[in-house]
Amino acid sequence: MAKYLFFIILFLSFSNFINAQESNKRPKVGLVLSGGGAKGLAHTGIIRALEEAGLTPDYVTGTSMGSVVGGLYSIGYSADDIEKMASSVDWDAVLSNKILLNEITYEEKEYYGRYIAELPVNGIKVGLPKGLIEGQQLSELLSRLTRSVHGIENFNDFPIPFACVASDIATGEPVTLNKGSLSRSIRASMAIPTVFTPVEIDDRLLVDGGLVRNFPVEEVIAMGADIVIGVFVSSDLDPKEDLNNMISLLAQSAFVTSAFDTRKQKEMVDIYIEPDLQGYSTGSFKEWEGIIKRGNDMGQQYVDTFKKLADSLRHFGPLKAVEKLPLKDNYLISTIYVEGNEKISSKLIKGKLRIKEGSEVSIEEIERRISIIYGTRYFDKVSYDLINHGSTYELKIKVQETSDGKLKLSVQYDSENDIGLNANITYRNLLLPNSRTLLEFDFSESPRLNLNYLKYIGEKQNAGFMLGIDYSNQDLPFFEDNINTTTVDANYSNLYFQLQSTNFLNFTFGGRAQLEYSKLKPIVGELGRLIEAIKNRDVSVVFFVKYNSFDRQFYPKKGMDFSASVKSVLDVKNKTTVIVEDSLSSKNITEEINFDPFFAFEAYFTYIFKVSNRFSIITENAMVLTTLGEPDFNITDFYFLGGFNPRFKHVSQYWGASDKEYISPNYFYTKLVLQYEVFKNVFVSAIGNYIDVQYPMELLFSDIKVDDYLGGERRRIGFGLSFGYNSPIGPLSFSMAKDTKNTKLHTNVNVGFWF
């Protein structure tokens, strides 16, 4: 194409001498930016060269990543601005389905981020998602970056007229997007099929434009461009020798049409630029710095060419300089409008938004409140636009409601708890509007079930009531002198009614009334010859306060978790059925005892101090103080201690003991963890922990029951080491620990998310 450039410049240089009337009708320059995933960041180098040469295009078109860079450039972002954006974005987060745990509402935190698959359920029909990634963080990022043109319907009214291209997946046609929401149009242009969910615009189901038109030259010519500068950062079809597996064949087949179209588009380009990006792929976002450098290197080779073209164009008059549209930090909101909701009331959405009409709010607060709405899990996507009305703005919230229900699945193996399949089905608005019905079941040798119904209440939906039942069955060990002497089959269930605040993102408080029931049946050991069953029933009320600001569910790097509760047990009934034998027969005798009411105080506190990007210091603390005395086998009210990840009602880990090795009504526990991220999501942790069944509880309440519950001790110290990987299928870890007073080395292997 270089030979044509000479004639273009020659023509422009002499055109003003040929016809003076043409001086106000200079040729228009169009810039075309191809798709190419992460490689599209190289476009910034060409834009930087254009800026250095003083040449501003009259039109810009782009596809996929080219639509991101081109769209931002068209509304006034400089190459430096775009590079700064690329360096500050957490690409792992933006290009995933995950948002931070501290942006999920408290009532949803427990169930977020611990499943391998989430399948949509409509009615009773289970389907497949339209894509792996909804892209909430991507949508939020695009809304924030493009907020200066929210409300500008026609992209021709941008500082540089712009258009991007998507593919209509239903017809296979390229679709030019040049009006409406810029952020939504860009999101559609880069919706890689099966990876990102498609975007519906004007009744068309749109996916990545690279599927049919990866290099939108025709579109920029249609806008009026006479001279086309095309930057191509993608690739042509792979040669035969590289097509040696079904993955490469499948990928190639998806882009055959686009490749042939690109060859046609290249023929219409006057200045063709293809940066050398060998060694980088479409997914190399973490290597953005190297990609941008390659783009800069290539751009510098064209600075002189761009200067000559700019000088020729100046014969027709001064060239336009583009000024970035102002990005406001605060907005006076006159009205709030919600669209896209059919099942979820605008009342709930505005209640969670908690922005008053007539108030001035920062962009950070708007984004935080948008995250809270998404964090309710009622929506697959939440976006916003700020429409200017002079000195005030209309805040338009656009939501995409989730399916009727979601089926969530994960598989987990733990050497302490064996293998299990965790299934969760969650329905929204079942029976009553603004409600959540949740059933979670662990299919394993120790099955567990959690069924609850949450209904939001109040004008701003800032409170809720919950009805629920928990059930678990497990073989529980009882130890003497570090030896498992008895194993019992334990059933535990809890029926409760709860009122709680839903007003805050990371904080809740409330109270519950509950009926707890447990049954023990000895299955191993001498106790089975003496006792048939032990049954316990409690009626109690609990008042609680909870706070959790962890950034993620597993291997968090920062945040705090705190909970405290006071439980008043109003009625305690114990039934023990003993076996009485004589020389001729045996019979069962049941003894029923009503114990005195008592109270229990529980507090748990974890704080993560982020020393650096890779190194965190974690302290975990717990204290339980009760006025309960005996019996030893009242598992409803006693606490099991020991193990790496014990699971049951009232359990606490202690690294250095077997799973649930100790049992006590009172204890204090503290743990110090030095956590270091060796590689991305690969962790090594050094652990020290201490447990005490006497102090400081006895100092606070002298009448508590104190005994040598810790295997003949009242306090113990343990230490350990853990190696872990935070994988897409859940945490993978190998841990080891021992107690200072015990020579036994305890080990644990965990694979996957747990219940």
Side-chain angles (χ1 to χ4, degrees), residues 406-693:
K406 285 284 179 69
L407 174 63
K408 309 172 188 181
L409 301 168
S410 65
V411 179
Q412 193 256 346
Y413 169 78
D414 180 350
S415 55
E416 285 184 337
N417 300 280
D418 294 324
I419 193 168
L421 170 66
N422 185 8
N424 175 312
I425 185 163
T426 302
Y427 276 93
R428 308 286 174 177
N429 300 312
L430 187 66
L431 301 180
L432 295 172
N434 304 331
S435 65
R436 182 202 71 194
T437 306
L438 184 149
L439 172 63
E440 188 168 41
F441 196 89
D442 182 18
F443 296 90
S444 67
E445 289 186 3
S446 303
R448 286 162 290 175
L449 177 142
N450 173 14
L451 172 64
N452 64 66
Y453 184 85
L454 171 67
K455 172 70 175 75
Y456 289 101
I457 56 177
E459 183 178 352
K460 295 185 176 181
Q461 312 295 294
N462 54 11
F465 70 79
M466 183 186 294
L467 289 169
I469 183 169
D470 294 326
Y471 169 81
S472 62
N473 172 261
Q474 192 170 95
D475 291 348
L476 295 180
F478 287 87
F479 289 78
E480 290 183 15
D481 299 324
N482 305 119
I483 299 173
N484 180 196
T485 58
T486 300
T487 300
V488 301
D489 176 70
N491 284 281
Y492 169 81
S493 56
N494 178 6
L495 177 65
Y496 60 88
F497 173 79
Q498 178 171 300
L499 285 171
Q500 67 182 86
S501 167
T502 60
N503 195 40
F504 308 99
L505 188 62
N506 296 318
F507 173 72
T508 189
F509 63 91
R512 67 158 64 180
Q514 62 184 15
L515 172 65
E516 296 177 278
Y517 176 82
S518 65
K519 178 182 178 182
L520 301 182
K521 185 176 179 60
I523 54 177
V524 175
E526 289 295 319
L527 192 65
R529 297 181 57 187
L530 304 175
I531 298 177
E532 173 66 24
I534 302 172
K535 299 178 182 178
N536 199 79
R537 188 216 65 192
D538 284 10
V539 177
S540 60
V541 293
V542 182
F543 299 94
F544 60 85
V545 57
K546 300 179 180 180
Y547 176 85
N548 185 335
S549 63
F550 283 173
D551 56 345
R552 55 186 182 183
Q553 193 82 264
F554 302 98
Y555 296 106
K557 292 185 176 181
K558 61 180 180 179
M560 183 175 75
D561 183 25
F562 170 77
S563 66
S565 66
V566 176
K567 173 182 176 181
S568 177
V569 182
L570 307 175
D571 184 54
V572 186
K573 182 173 290 186
N574 180 275
K575 291 182 179 181
T576 301
T577 302
V578 299
I579 302 171
V580 179
E581 296 181 336
D582 56 30
S583 59
L584 297 177
S585 64
S586 66
K587 61 180 179 179
N588 295 342
I589 299 176
T590 300
E591 180 182 9
E592 183 173 319
I593 303 174
N594 288 320
F595 293 99
D596 293 334
F598 66 93
F599 83 91
F601 169 77
E602 298 181 31
Y604 304 91
F605 174 71
T606 300
Y607 180 74
I608 303 174
F609 176 68
K610 186 177 180 181
V611 180
S612 69
N613 235 8
R614 292 183 177 273
F615 181 48
S616 299
I617 299 175
I618 306 170
T619 175
E620 298 180 19
N621 306 274
M623 188 178 76
V624 171
L625 173 63
T626 75
T627 58
L628 173 70
E630 301 293 349
D632 288 337
F633 293 103
N634 178 2
I635 66 164
T636 305
D637 303 308
F638 267 59
Y639 294 78
F640 285 92
L641 314 170
F644 295 90
N645 185 30
R647 296 175 214 166
F648 197 63
K649 172 69 175 175
H650 289 166
V651 293
S652 176
Q653 65 176 215
Y654 171 67
W655 288 48
S658 298
D659 182 40
K660 307 180 192 69
E661 183 169 340
Y662 309 123
I663 185 169
S664 174
N666 305 280
Y667 72 92
F668 169 77
Y669 175 76
T670 187
K671 175 182 174 185
L672 182 68
V673 182
L674 305 180
Q675 177 178 283
Y676 185 73
E677 188 174 16
V678 184
F679 306 107
K680 183 69 176 178
N681 286 322
V682 177
F683 297 86
V684 59
S685 303
I687 295 105
N689 58 176
Y690 169 83
I691 195 164
D692 194 312
V693 294

Side-chain angles (χ1 to χ4, degrees), residues 30 38 67 112 144 268 370 392 640 662 684 704 736:
S67 75
Y112 179 73
R144 178 169 71 251
M268 295 179 276
I370 292 295
T392 64
F640 285 92
Y662 309 123
V684 59
I704 66 169
M736 62 185 79

